């Protein structure tokens, strides 16, 4: 596997490739990330990954400094699952002196995680657009674990007519249901035991929905009650929204819906979601 450190190296590498399927990451790779690479391989394209902890998507009080970094292990894992190359840009090249241009989504970026993390999605969309331009990828694979991010990237591609096919893949979970995440590494042993409650709550909501419950606020209330039983959690939000445009439900759920959650467990902010299904 080639490790491409700078933009020039990437450009030279790209010239020799046909269709490229791209998997952007922030590293500290787990099986969830690797499942995206494996899917990318089935597309029959050359698979390119990237590792970049993007400073522009972290707020001043967030965990940019402590975000896990383990490049050597990551490269080994990528090589094993068959990535052809990994692009590791440096911050100075990504954001040269005087950088002042950003991608702004005016709607979907302002709800859910966008409300708790101002500027986060502006940072995400800007770096993803730059990575698309630098890699000139044909397809890009994202995890539904970051549901709002995936939908925002799909929307950016549509709104700005970018020549990239965006693919969303299911969330990989630990045996007890906890969504795999690089941030799980920072949970204490005690916190790790509580963490699967989030998935349990999402499953309960899905069951209720499938049994006919169409009141989003009732589904959220049930989730809140479950989490209240575990004071280690501090809930940021739980909401049921439309799958396609993340619109809120003012009346009964009448379109395909997804429940999305963010909660703090100690110093770690966990997010998760589950598609509830379509009303019939
Ligand atoms: P990150 O390194 O957290 O920026 O994630 C890189 C990509 O991996 C994003 O598209 C994520 O949505 C995806 N991803 C993260 N966790 C999982 C998971 N548990 N299952 C599937 N995809 C994931």
């Amino acid at each position: 596997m080639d490790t491409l450190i700078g933009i020039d190296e990437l450009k030279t590498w790209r010239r020799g490739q046909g269709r490229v399927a791209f998997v952007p990451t922030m590293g500290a790779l787990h099986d969830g990330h690797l499942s995206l690479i494996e899917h990318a391989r089935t597309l029959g394209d050359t698979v390119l990954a990237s590792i970049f902890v993007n400073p522009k998507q972290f707020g001043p009080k967030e965990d940019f400094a402590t975000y896990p970094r383990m490049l050597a292990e990551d490269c080994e894992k990528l090589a094993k699952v068959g990535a052809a190359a990994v692009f590791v840009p440096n911050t100075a090249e990504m954001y040269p002196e005087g950088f002042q241009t950003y991608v702004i989504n005016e709607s979907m970026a302002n709800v859910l995680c966008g409300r708790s993390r101002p500027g986060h999605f502006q940072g995400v969309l800007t770096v993803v657009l730059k990575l698309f331009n630098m890699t000139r990828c044909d397809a890009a694979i994202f995890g539904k674990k970051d549901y709002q991010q995936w939908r925002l990237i799909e929307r950016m591609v549509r709104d700005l007519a970018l020549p990239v096919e965006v693919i969303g893949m299911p969330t990989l979970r630990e045996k007890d249901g906890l969504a795999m995440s690089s941030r799980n590494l920072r949970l204490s042993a005690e916190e790790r035991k509580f963490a699967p409650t989030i998935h349990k709550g999402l499953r309960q909501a899905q069951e209720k929905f499938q049994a006919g419950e169409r009141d989003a606020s009732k589904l959220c209330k049930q989730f809140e009650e479950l989490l209240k039983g575990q004071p280690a959690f501090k809930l940021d939000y739980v909401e049921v929204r439309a799958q396609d445009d993340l619109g809120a439900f003012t009346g009964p759920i009448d379109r395909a819906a997804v429940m999305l959650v963010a909660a703090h467990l100690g110093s770690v902010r966990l997010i998760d979601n589950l598609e509830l299904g379509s009303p019939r």
Side-chain angles (χ1 to χ4, degrees):
M1 186 187 67
D2 296 318
T3 304
L4 313 165
I5 297 298
I7 294 168
D8 288 340
E9 268 191 61
L10 172 69
K11 273 193 188 151
T12 310
W13 175 86
R14 182 67 182 92
R15 272 187 221 119
Q17 311 301 325
R19 269 186 63 92
V20 165
F22 176 48
V23 181
T25 81
M26 299 205 299
L29 301 180
H30 49 67
D31 287 351
H33 295 114
L34 302 181
S35 73
L36 305 185
I37 305 278
E38 273 159 9
H39 181 74
R41 286 184 59 201
T42 67
L43 303 175
D45 302 341
T46 304
V47 179
L48 172 66
S50 69
I51 297 177
F52 181 61
V53 185
N54 175 30
K56 301 260 186 217
Q57 69 188 66
F58 289 80
K61 293 196 183 122
E62 292 181 358
D63 58 351
F64 176 68
T66 55
Y67 198 85
R69 288 163 171 88
M70 42 189 74
L71 186 60
E73 290 102 306
D74 285 347
C75 288
E76 251 174 61
K77 289 180 186 169
L78 289 172
K80 239 186 226 161
V81 291
V86 57
F87 175 43
V88 189
N90 65 55
T91 308
E93 245 186 345
M94 190 60 89
Y95 300 115
E97 196 59 30
F99 185 91
Q100 54 184 264
T101 308
Y102 294 88
V103 179
I104 294 171
N105 172 294
E106 293 185 324
S107 176
M108 266 198 289
N110 300 329
V111 301
L112 303 165
C113 282
R115 207 162 45 197
S116 335
R117 305 183 70 188
H120 169 65
F121 288 117
Q122 176 177 317
V124 169
L125 293 177
T126 302
V127 83
V128 169
L129 177 61
K130 280 205 78 161
L131 287 166
F132 284 0
N133 286 336
M134 290 167 159
T135 61
R136 290 188 289 113
C137 59
D138 298 283
I141 298 97
F142 293 88
K144 292 192 189 180
K145 158 78 170 36
D146 300 277
Y147 204 89
Q148 187 176 12
Q149 169 178 286
W150 166 54
R151 288 305 199 195
L152 278 161
I153 291 165
E154 277 190 334
R155 188 60 66 122
M156 172 177 76
V157 163
R158 198 180 90 180
D159 288 351
L160 304 183
L162 305 179
V164 180
E165 181 193 354
V166 173
I167 297 160
M169 294 298 293
T171 302
L172 245 71
R173 300 179 178 282
E174 304 290 354
K175 281 202 182 73
D176 59 11
L178 174 65
M180 289 182 186
S181 163
S182 306
R183 289 188 169 97
N184 294 348
L185 293 171
R186 301 214 325 267
L187 293 171
S188 70
E190 191 66 8
E191 288 160 357
R192 177 63 189 81
K193 279 187 221 151
F194 292 128
T197 310
I198 294 180
H199 181 243
K200 192 174 153 197
L202 290 169
R203 287 292 303 274
Q204 280 183 3
Q206 190 187 47
E207 276 162 29
K208 276 248 163 117
F209 177 83
Q210 285 171 358
E213 180 61 74
R214 294 290 176 264
D215 184 335
S217 65
K218 277 196 187 146
L219 294 171
C220 293
K221 190 112 207 114
Q222 176 187 264
F223 187 95
E224 284 164 18
E225 290 303 321
L226 177 73
L227 228 61
K228 264 191 206 147
Q230 296 199 346
F233 279 106
K234 206 174 135 267
L235 185 63
D236 179 355
Y237 65 76
V238 55
E239 293 191 42
V240 175
R241 288 186 172 258
Q243 287 180 18
D244 53 359
D245 59 7
L246 302 180
F249 293 105
T250 44
I253 298 169
D254 57 359
R255 295 195 280 155
V258 54
M259 181 179 252
L260 307 106
V261 178
H264 294 270
L265 189 49
S267 64
V268 183
R269 185 172 181 275
L270 298 174
I271 59 168
D272 202 352
N273 65 80
L274 199 61
E275 288 174 338
L276 301 179
S278 298
R280 274 171 224 295

